[in-house]
Amino acid sequence: MPASPSTARAINDRLALRLLQQEGPLTAGQLKQLTGLSRPTVADLVERLTASGLIQMVGESGEQRRGPNARLYGIVADRAYLAALDVRLEGVSVVVSDLVGRVLAEASVPIDGASGTGPAVEQAVALVERAAKEAGAEHLHTVGVGAPGLIDPATGELRDTTGLPAWHRRLVAALHERLPGTHIVVENETNLAALAEQRDGAARDRDTFVLFWLGMGIGAAVVLDGALRRGASGGAGEIGFLPVPGTRGFPSATDCEGGFHSLAGAAAVLELARECGVLGRAGEGSGAAGVVRWAVGEASAGRAGGDVGAGTGTGDAGDVGVDAGAGDGGDLAARFLDALADRLALGVASVVALLDPGCVVLGGEVGQAGGDELAVRVAERVTRMSPLPAEVRPSVLGGAAVLRGALLTAQDGAQDELFG
């Protein structure tokens, strides 16, 4: 059956708004070309969307032609304000944007959980309020929150997870209380990172891929056929609990020590760097990402100088077998990256065998720091371990992916409601 006139208008309006979201300001002629609609129909929808306060004239096109320049129409950016939070164990970061995603304010604050749940929550909420005020936003339409831990698929809230501070769960309730009428959307940090990498980062050309979050904690996000898969209990991708060889035990239901986390978490990476004799060379106080970044630079320089080649791997993720006093910086760095790749390949190959994603992104600060040097090493090992092809790519966004994903989630939610 043909659509009714009102339904056709709604479909056309939504199509035009979606194009303005994706392409930015457009002229009526460009909307006609992109939508395939007639000139009178486009003129009607432009008038209708302008009257509704959803779009406005934002300038004129620079096309060289006779007659007046064509008017450019864009989404009314201040129709709604959005915020995104990246909630970590040690602090919170926030950005505030308008409806089209233009960042207006950003801030972060370290939080000492030892000070108590109440003070920690107050610090985080006050940070959001200050950033909103700085951005000139009297009301936040939607707030996207990215946090470690499991999200209850029934309630959309953080589950009470062992090892995470109590203020994390209390924060969501406090945001509801202090920001009445604001939509609060909570998502696992790794899932948000995958969304950001798919939209703006390393997986822009992929509908199916898995992102490995490599940082203080370990996680994975699964995207199949363009959709994020959370699992029956919201725990899909808890790869830190994956039992793997090379650890001193097995993980438990309440502790991922002994699982893949014990090989690839930040603390494990630093211990591996110590065993390989590169920890001190990377600089005093270097974190896991800093050590990996140093190793990548040294290995690249050594290969360029012709004194070191790509390693073949130890074959045993739990036994590095490196003489910390042997070799120059480039040689030690390459051995460290080889040993780290041995470890990461265990988790990556397991996921490839189970899901056949075709593409794995090494995300988080460590994945980004490793770059192509680490990704190529992991890919070589996975190729030997699995008959299924899998491209391994480094993250483009690194640690910034969580905040970017939270903002994209808030933006999508607000636009869906306002444009519906």
Side-chain angles (χ1 to χ4, degrees):
M1 295 178 60
S4 66
S6 62
T7 300
R9 286 194 295 270
I11 293 172
N12 293 339
D13 289 355
R14 187 57 187 264
L15 176 59
L17 288 166
R18 183 62 66 185
L19 287 169
L20 290 169
Q21 287 174 258
Q22 297 171 347
E23 306 294 335
L26 298 169
T27 66
Q30 290 170 327
L31 282 171
K32 174 182 179 297
Q33 181 179 8
L34 291 170
T35 61
L37 300 172
S38 67
R39 188 175 299 276
T41 299
V42 170
D44 286 344
L45 74 82
V46 167
E47 181 179 354
R48 192 163 53 247
L49 293 175
T50 302
S52 68
L54 292 176
I55 69 171
Q56 63 184 356
M57 194 183 90
V58 296
E60 295 181 342
S61 70
E63 297 172 353
Q64 299 298 320
R65 59 184 181 82
R66 293 181 180 180
N69 289 335
R71 295 177 175 179
L72 277 169
Y73 294 93
I75 293 171
V76 178
D78 60 2
R79 178 67 182 268
Y81 293 95
L82 319 168
L85 276 76
D86 182 1
V87 181
R88 301 291 180 98
L89 295 177
E90 69 283 358
V92 174
S93 298
V94 60
V95 297
V96 177
S97 81
D98 57 23
L99 185 58
V100 296
R102 185 172 63 244
V103 174
L104 305 174
E106 51 189 323
S108 61
V109 62
I111 293 181
D112 182 7
S115 62
T117 299
V121 169
E122 177 58 32
Q123 276 187 281
V125 176
L127 182 73
V128 176
E129 293 174 334
R130 288 197 302 271
K133 183 177 181 180
E134 180 184 339
E138 294 184 3
H139 173 74
L140 294 173
H141 183 283
T142 304
V143 175
V145 181
L150 301 179
I151 309 298
D152 189 322
T155 65
E157 297 182 353
L158 274 170
R159 288 168 52 181
D160 189 5
T161 306
T162 302
L164 294 179
W167 67 267
H168 278 200
R169 295 191 72 241
R170 175 60 187 145
L171 175 59
V172 176
L175 289 171
H176 281 293
E177 294 168 3
R178 296 273 283 272
L179 303 174
T182 297
H183 301 281
I184 311 295
V185 183
V186 186
E187 183 59 271
N188 174 268
E189 60 179 358
T190 307
N191 288 343
L192 291 177
L195 172 63
E197 293 286 357
Q198 186 180 33
R199 296 271 284 271
D200 299 332
R204 280 174 296 204
D205 59 338
R206 291 284 182 166
D207 288 331
T208 296
F209 70 99
V210 171
L211 178 134
F212 271 62
W213 181 264
L214 305 175
M216 182 177 295
I218 296 295
V222 180
V223 177
L224 302 178
D225 299 324
L228 183 67
R229 307 297 180 177
R230 296 175 177 84
S233 64
E238 286 295 320
I239 198 164
F241 287 87
L242 179 72
V244 290
T247 65
R248 295 180 176 87
F250 294 98
S252 70
T254 58
D255 191 350
C256 58
E257 285 299 325
F260 184 57
H261 172 83
S262 295
L263 294 183
V269 173
L270 289 175
E271 176 61 21
L272 179 63
R274 186 192 63 76
E275 295 174 4
C276 290
V278 302
L279 185 58
R281 294 171 181 252
E284 190 68 28
S286 297
V291 172
V292 172
R293 189 175 296 108
W294 173 87
V296 166
E298 289 293 313
S300 299
R303 187 169 56 253
D307 62 349
V308 64
T312 58
T314 66
D316 187 342
D319 184 9
V320 179
V322 174
D323 180 2
D328 60 14
D331 186 35
L332 290 178
R335 290 172 183 248
F336 165 66
L337 291 175
D338 286 336
L340 179 57
D342 285 340
R343 293 183 172 199
L344 296 180
L346 292 176
V348 173
S350 299
V351 168
V352 168
L354 186 64
L355 297 177
D356 187 20
C359 177
V360 173
V361 176
L362 302 182
E365 295 90 344
V366 171
Q368 184 185 42
D372 289 327
E373 282 281 344
L374 183 59
V376 167
R377 284 171 161 83
V378 174
E380 289 172 348
R381 287 153 175 79
V382 172
T383 297
R384 296 197 298 266
M385 296 167 69
S386 172
L388 306 177
E391 185 178 0
V392 181
R393 301 176 178 180
S395 165
V396 171
L397 303 175
V402 177
L403 204 56
R404 179 59 181 159
L407 185 58
L408 287 170
T409 298
Q411 184 180 358
D412 289 346
Q415 291 181 349
D416 283 344
E417 179 179 325
L418 293 173
F419 299 166

